[in-house]
Every structure is written in C-alpha cells, then in structure tokens.
Amino acid sequence: MATNNMIKITDMEKIYRTEEVETVALNKLNIEVKEGEFVAVMGPSGCGKSTLLNILGLLDDPDNGSFLFNQIEVAHFNERKRADLRKHNIGFVFQSFNLIDELTVFENVELPLIYTGVKGPERKKRVEEVLDKVQIMHRRNHYPQQLSGGQQQRVAVARAVVNHPKLILADEPTGNLDSSNGNEVMQLLTELNEHGTTIVMVTHSEHDARYSHRIIRMLDGQTVTENILI
C-alpha cells in the first residue's frame, strides 16, 4: 500500500446554526487517509459522519481547519474549483443508489463521462468495460425500476468508477440491500480497492466495516478510536 496521504484533515470544524440552536457537527477533527487505503467510518447518528463525507466529497466546506487533498489545500475552494476537482477525482456510492429513472443503465453510467467531456467512442468503450466488471452488462438497456436493489447498487458502483476516480466515497452502500446483495457490493468495493482505488465508507454495519483496512469511530464530531484490521 502506498504511504502518501491522499487526505489530511487538521482541526476541522463545522457548525450548523439556526436562530434557536447551534449544532457542532465537526469539532477540531483530525483524520488522515493514505493513498490506496480502505477506511470505514463508524459512529452513532449525529456524530458527524455524513458531514465529514460531504466535506471529503467537496459538496460542503468547513468553517475552520485544513483539508489537504493530494497535498493541495481545498478547504475553501470556490464552487467551480470544487466541482472541477470532484468530477475528475471522486466517485460517490449512496445508500439510495441515486440513479436517474429516465435513463437506461448504460446512460446512467455514461453520465460522468459526458460531464468530463470524454468523446463518444471512448465513452462507449469505458462504459462497456465497467458494466462488464460489475457483471451488469446484460441489463445495459434496462431502466433502474426494472432492476433489483443489488443490481441498482452495482450500476451505482459502475457509475462511481467509470471516470477512474482516485477516491470513492461510499455512504451506507449496503443499507438498502439484503445480506447476499450487500456482500456482493462489498466484494466489488474490495476488488476496486485492490486495484488501487482509495475508499472511505461510512457505515453502521460492523460486518461491512471488517472489509476495510482501518475503522475510525466518531463521537460528537471527533474521532474516539481507530482500529487497524490489516
């Protein structure tokens, strides 16, 4: 495994305010993730896991602290710079699949390549390669509603990796799946990681967390323990 830090978060704070209440989501959080690692983040609801994932995915920015992504300070990038970095470097896998109902399997997976300006013939080649890899090629012309939950999540994984991202962020990736389909998705993520993709996964499942190299446990916006599994 490589030893370079892909992610280095230092003294990160995120506070959500309404007129009545102030919620500290991240409280001087410090986390490092090395290139090629598979890290699981666990903790009770409200501990800051989702906030952390949103900031790692450049969907939100912190109030204070540093976020180095491949040695570049990105904590306060503007939206355009965040979007550019995101679409070239990060793939997302969500609990709810987030597929577009009106698009076929092929078209859903093709979408990130359109956003990054990949030309038609190359798009077709890459989509077919990744559909083959996740064993869903035979469903390429089906729509999401025609698929089982496990098949939809495989399509979502294909879409996440078609751009060859350096980092995959997975948010409860098996949360809507039975154990058999859940294990298939975790096996897929493991294989991607073995081929060099860095993965950060938020999960409530101790079973899923055991697929990772390291478990970070959070409470009240901070890390409380870390377990190295390999």
Side-chain angles (χ1 to χ4, degrees):
M1 196 191 303
T3 53
N4 293 339
N5 275 334
M6 175 178 280
I7 291 163
K8 184 173 184 184
I9 279 175
T10 310
D11 290 337
M12 183 173 284
E13 296 180 320
K14 184 68 181 179
I15 299 166
Y16 294 104
R17 293 180 177 86
T18 65
E19 284 177 18
E20 295 84 31
V21 71
E22 185 175 278
T23 305
V24 178
L26 299 178
N27 184 8
K28 295 200 174 297
L29 181 71
N30 294 287
I31 282 178
E32 293 182 9
V33 177
K34 295 193 187 316
E35 221 174 89
E37 259 197 304
F38 186 162
V39 175
V41 181
M42 302 191 74
S45 295
C47 72
K49 302 187 304 292
S50 296
T51 300
L52 171 63
L53 213 63
N54 283 341
I55 289 172
L56 290 179
L58 303 166
L59 300 169
D60 201 353
D61 56 352
D63 294 322
N64 288 302
S66 165
F67 173 15
L68 296 178
F69 185 85
N70 284 336
Q71 281 82 54
I72 298 167
E73 178 59 74
V74 299
H76 299 292
F77 268 19
N78 63 30
E79 181 47 45
R80 178 181 287 183
K81 283 175 109 174
R82 287 211 308 253
D84 199 49
L85 190 69
R86 189 167 58 231
K87 69 186 181 187
H88 288 100
N89 293 279
I90 302 172
F92 296 89
V93 180
F94 302 96
Q95 177 177 344
S96 54
F97 318 137
N98 283 17
L99 300 175
I100 297 171
D101 288 341
E102 295 75 25
L103 299 182
T104 64
V105 164
F106 186 95
E107 290 165 341
N108 265 284
V109 175
E110 184 184 32
L111 212 51
L113 299 175
I114 293 171
Y115 288 149
T116 48
V118 177
K119 297 285 185 287
E122 173 68 7
R123 285 206 307 269
K124 183 172 185 292
K125 175 172 164 284
R126 278 165 65 173
V127 173
E128 287 176 350
E129 275 174 5
V130 77
L131 289 178
D132 210 35
K133 184 187 273 187
V134 303
Q135 300 178 337
I136 204 83
M137 184 65 131
H138 60 297
R139 298 285 199 179
R140 59 176 288 167
N141 295 318
H142 287 70
Y143 291 89
Q145 305 95 314
Q146 297 173 298
L147 306 178
S148 69
Q151 288 170 331
Q152 287 189 57
Q153 193 60 298
R154 273 193 262 167
V155 175
V157 171
R159 181 186 56 191
V161 301
V162 73
N163 248 341
H164 306 145
K166 297 181 177 73
L167 171 67
I168 287 181
L169 300 175
D171 188 4
E172 300 283 0
T174 68
N176 284 336
L177 303 176
D178 61 37
S179 58
S180 169
N181 279 315
N183 287 339
E184 276 186 29
V185 167
M186 290 310 304
Q187 199 55 51
L188 254 179
L189 291 175
T190 301
E191 284 167 21
L192 291 166
N193 176 248
E194 284 167 355
H195 287 97
T197 307
T198 306
I199 299 176
V200 178
M201 173 181 70
V202 161
T203 182
H204 280 107
S205 164
E206 294 284 350
H207 172 269
D208 289 359
R210 284 197 291 274
Y211 282 88
S212 70
H213 302 150
R214 183 161 57 104
I215 301 173
I216 296 172
R217 296 182 194 271
M218 290 182 66
L219 187 66
D220 299 332
Q222 296 176 315
T223 56
V224 284
T225 61
E226 291 194 29
N227 305 89
I228 295 169
L229 303 182
I230 63 161

